[in-house]
Amino acid sequence: MAGGDPYWLLNAFLITLLCIVIVSSGDPDADILLKFKKSLANDAALSNWNSSTNPCVGKWVGVKCWEGNRIWSLKLENMGLTGQIDVDSLVGLPYLRGLSFMNNSFDGPMPKVKVLRALKSLYLSHNRFSGEIPDGAFAGMGLLKKVYLSHNSFSGKIPSSLLGLSKLLELRLDGNQFEGNIPDFQQKGLQLLNVSNNYLQGPIPASLSNMDSSSFSGNDGLCGKPLKSCDSNKNKKSPLSKTVIILICIGLALVILGAVLVVLHRQGESRSGKAPENDNQTRAVTCEGDKMERGTSGYSGNNNKKVEPPAKLTFVRDDREKFELNDMLRASAEILGNGSFGSCYKAVLSNGAAIVVKRYKYMNNIEREEFQEYMKRLGTLTHPNLLPLMAYYYRKEEKLLVTDFIGNGSLASKLHGKQTTGELRLDWPTRLNIIKGVAKGLAFLYDELPNLTLPHGHLKSSNVILNESLEPLLTDYGLLPVINQEHAVHLMVAYKSPEYAQCGRTTKKSDVWCLGILILEILTGKFPAASISKQGNKGSDEDLACWVSSAIREERAVEIFDKQMEGTKNAEGEVLKLLNIGLCCCEADTDKRWDIKEAVERIEELKERDNDDDFYSLISEGEMPSTRSLMAEIELSL
Ligand SMILES: *[C@@H]1O[C@H](CO)[C@@H](O)[C@H](O)[C@H]1NC(C)=O
Ligand SMILES: *[C@@H]1O[C@H](CO)[C@@H](O)[C@H](O)[C@H]1NC(C)=O
Ligand SMILES: *[C@@H]1O[C@H](CO)[C@@H](O)[C@H](O)[C@H]1NC(C)=O
């Protein structure tokens, strides 16, 4: 027995030591990147990659993170890097989506990238890679959208595994020595394919006939639309044919150029015909727009306003009538409000359409290309309870996001603003319907943006827009990846959650907490502290959830509900159920808090009117149905 204690102590000591060693061995992501760095030969540009900091916190060169700690992309361009690219070591970075080694001095065969199955973009252009790319080099990389291999010395056939990339948007193979036929790309989304300056031959697949002819130039043996047809190619195999092809190409180019000029000319005419009517319009967004254009960096030399600005709106949906940035900037506008990220305007275009333009200042978390790609992704989101993103304008210092203008204002202004007579009231059935719609929209975001911890991130009553029939539409969703981390933490509602206050992190259930607060807000008519953006990160003391719970405990139930909420007669049971759901969503302990699935299911079950069976089943046998006993029920489940 006497010897037992020292041994036990020794064991404890060793375990403690082991823990310390494990902890101090540091960030696994840092270890991975340092291992990767070792495989490079000339890594001078990566001098701040060292073990004294963490890749995300220490802002390692070329490393992009999101949500503060997840390595999202490596952009190692123009660094004179040589040596091996140790792709295998990167497999340990589960969030890695983008990889760029453009314009370095790597040589040798194509890196075996297919182990990085979740990659969305791969840029290897302007290096000295050579040799054939194995046919299956891209097999299984189902998320790949952009593949740039231009200006290397790749040879052999275009690998057929590229055909299996269903999400492919851009493929650049120009400036290599690829030979053989162009395979039959069938991807509907393929926007850019450039195979110019290779040794390709044979017919251009019909699926690519709409591409620009410059995508195919510099390949002597290619034929078919958009180049000249293949028939004449067969007939004339004389040395003349090259000249003929070139002549035809030039001819075609001239015709196209002519056509383009004519179209541009006409557009110019019709535009200048419209312009004067805007002149005497009231307040215009132009005051802001001018500043923006003058300040535009990277597009120097356009200080003359008459010159068409290179800046343009990029539309991310096909189902909206397109307009020019200029139309928008000239449109009469009114300020709708100043949100946490910047101002928000309503503008009425010359065609009468009303739009909302939101300015965002702190949206530089990712590079331009990724930003564009991400906006396109957001533009594909279509759901009856989402306000779709229509277009965006990108400038380094500031972004504009454009949506439709929806007539009935936000839920916040309906709940807390002055009621004008004759306005539609938010009675109980309407509020229930709004919560159901919000829950559906949120669940859709969870499905569509599964990689985001916070699919919405900024759910609050002022980001719920109501249409003419008071159906809710979520807005400002999915912006976390693009908002600068420090501002996201400061401004976004999900960062007001108890888990962020206590542990400094958000979880998949943080948006559920926001939903819970919204439910309590809509039932009580009280403005939650969490929605006030100026609030610090400390958990708000007068938290709505605490207030409601204590009101229930102290039997002040009468005080809880918004006096403006009518139509609760014979619906008390359902109202209380929704209150309970709100509280469960606000549960501070994330383990106990419901997940989105459970929350949505419970909300879906709610009805406008109490169903008698339902109502009685909630209450212990023999008791009269009363609010009092339901309160007891709720307290039990708290
Ligand atoms: C590590 O990088 C930091 C900059 O991020 C630098 O200040 C420091 O000197 C580096 N340490 C070593 C040992 O290179
Ligand atoms: C390529 O990188 C070098 C530095 O390694 C830089 O000087 C050069 O401008 C870059 N070229 C392009 C086209 O970006
Ligand atoms: C294809 O690439 C070549 C240069 O490599 C460029 O001149 C041409 O404009 C590009 N075409 C398209 C449609 O991108």
Coordinates of all heavy atoms in Angstrom, one line a residue, residues 151 172 174 192 194 196-197 212 214-215, ligand 3:
H151 N -0.7 27.8 -69.9 CA 0.7 28.2 -70.0 C 1.6 27.3 -69.1 O 2.3 27.8 -68.2 CB 0.9 29.7 -69.7 CG 0.1 30.5 -70.6 ND1 0.6 30.8 -71.9 CD2 -1.1 31.1 -70.6 CE1 -0.3 31.5 -72.5 NE2 -1.4 31.7 -71.7
R172 N -9.3 26.3 -68.2 CA -8.3 26.9 -69.1 C -7.2 25.9 -69.3 O -6.5 25.5 -68.4 CB -7.8 28.2 -68.4 CG -8.9 29.3 -68.4 CD -8.4 30.6 -68.3 NE -7.5 31.0 -69.4 CZ -7.0 32.2 -69.6 NH1 -7.4 33.2 -68.8 NH2 -6.2 32.4 -70.6
D174 N -5.2 26.6 -72.2 CA -4.5 27.3 -73.3 C -3.0 27.4 -73.1 O -2.6 27.4 -71.9 CB -5.1 28.7 -73.6 CG -5.3 29.5 -72.3 OD1 -6.0 29.0 -71.4 OD2 -4.7 30.6 -72.2
L192 N -16.6 29.1 -69.4 CA -15.4 29.5 -70.0 C -14.6 28.2 -70.3 O -14.3 27.4 -69.4 CB -14.5 30.4 -69.1 CG -13.1 30.7 -69.7 CD1 -13.2 31.9 -70.6 CD2 -12.2 31.0 -68.5
N194 N -11.1 27.4 -72.5 CA -10.1 28.0 -73.4 C -9.0 26.9 -73.7 O -8.3 26.5 -72.8 CB -9.4 29.2 -72.8 CG -8.7 30.0 -73.8 OD1 -8.3 29.5 -74.9 ND2 -8.6 31.3 -73.6
S196 N -7.0 27.3 -76.5 CA -6.2 27.9 -77.6 C -4.8 27.6 -77.5 O -4.3 27.3 -76.4 CB -6.4 29.5 -77.6 OG -6.0 30.0 -76.4
N197 N -4.1 27.7 -78.6 CA -2.6 27.4 -78.6 C -2.2 26.1 -78.1 O -1.4 26.0 -77.1 CB -1.9 28.6 -77.9 CG -2.2 29.9 -78.5 OD1 -2.2 30.1 -79.7 ND2 -2.5 30.9 -77.7
D212 N -16.6 31.4 -77.5 CA -15.9 32.4 -78.4 C -14.8 31.7 -79.2 O -14.2 30.8 -78.7 CB -15.2 33.4 -77.4 CG -14.7 34.6 -78.2 OD1 -13.6 34.5 -78.7 OD2 -15.4 35.6 -78.2
S214 N -12.0 32.7 -80.0 CA -10.6 32.8 -79.5 C -10.3 31.7 -78.5 O -9.1 31.5 -78.2 CB -10.5 34.2 -78.8 OG -11.1 34.2 -77.6
S215 N -11.3 31.0 -78.0 CA -11.1 29.8 -77.2 C -10.4 28.7 -77.9 O -9.8 27.8 -77.2 CB -12.4 29.3 -76.6 OG -13.0 30.3 -75.8
Ligands
LIG3 C1 -8.0 32.2 -74.6 O1 -6.7 32.4 -74.3 C2 -5.9 33.2 -75.1 C3 -4.5 33.3 -74.6 O2 -4.1 32.2 -74.1 C4 -6.6 34.6 -75.2 O3 -5.9 35.4 -76.2 C5 -8.0 34.5 -75.6 O4 -8.6 35.7 -75.6 C6 -8.7 33.6 -74.7 N1 -10.1 33.4 -75.1 C7 -11.1 33.4 -74.2 C8 -12.5 33.3 -74.7 O5 -10.9 33.4 -73.0

